[in-house]
Amino acid sequence: MFLGRAFQYPDAQVALHGAWTLKKLARDLGLDLPDVPEISLEELQTEYTRLFINSPEGAAAPPYASIYRHRAGFLYQEGHDEALSYYREMGFEPVEGPEPGDHIGFELAFVGLLLEEGRLDLLERFLGGHLLKWYPELAARLLAARPHPFYAALAQVTDACLNRLLEEVVHEEKRVP
């Protein structure tokens, strides 16, 4: 899923096709966003670092559920454990890596996997019981940091996409006899 990949440390593919993809997604979702200009890989990586990793004031919008779900804002806490329990329910055992399992990129990739597998029951619980409980604060912090239009659009498109999924795909499935 593009959104999950776009929230990871940028690579050449995201830099090359990201602005176009965000524009198309925004249009498909009916969002009226400012233009998303092309951005070089180096600029994208610099902005990613400022927003999600480090800046003189600290990361503007840490991309981890545990930061938002735990009162003290520590990694590897409540949000992390929640995410891992959903992954395990799907039969995945996360491996240790450089990023905690509650990174927004992983969680969005998980949403895509749930859609592909038709696991709308688990998708509904994951969105309503976990991801949409913390993502709005991440998006608000991201937008407050005055990001490059790429990341502003990414925050808004992701928000619209997640809410549309919960509203239309998951709830529509319940209405079908």
Side-chain angles (χ1 to χ4, degrees), residues 76-117:
Y76 296 102
Q77 301 298 318
E78 180 183 347
H80 181 264
D81 296 340
E82 285 176 357
L84 295 187
S85 71
Y86 284 106
Y87 301 161
R88 288 184 179 113
E89 189 172 340
M90 186 64 180
F92 299 120
E93 190 59 42
V95 295
E96 295 286 325
E99 291 289 358
D102 62 338
H103 186 284
I104 184 64
F106 297 153
E107 294 199 12
L108 291 171
F110 185 63
V111 167
L113 181 66
L114 291 172
L115 281 169
E116 285 177 17
E117 296 292 321

Side-chain angles (χ1 to χ4, degrees), residues 25 32 35 37 66 72 85 94 98 106 113 118 120 127 146 150 162 165:
L25 285 170
D32 185 23
D35 188 40
S66 50
S85 71
F106 297 153
L113 181 66
L120 300 183
L127 290 174
R146 294 188 171 134
F150 176 89
L162 292 175
L165 275 174

Side-chain angles (χ1 to χ4, degrees), residues 56-68:
E57 300 82 33
Y64 310 102
S66 50
I67 296 293
Y68 304 96

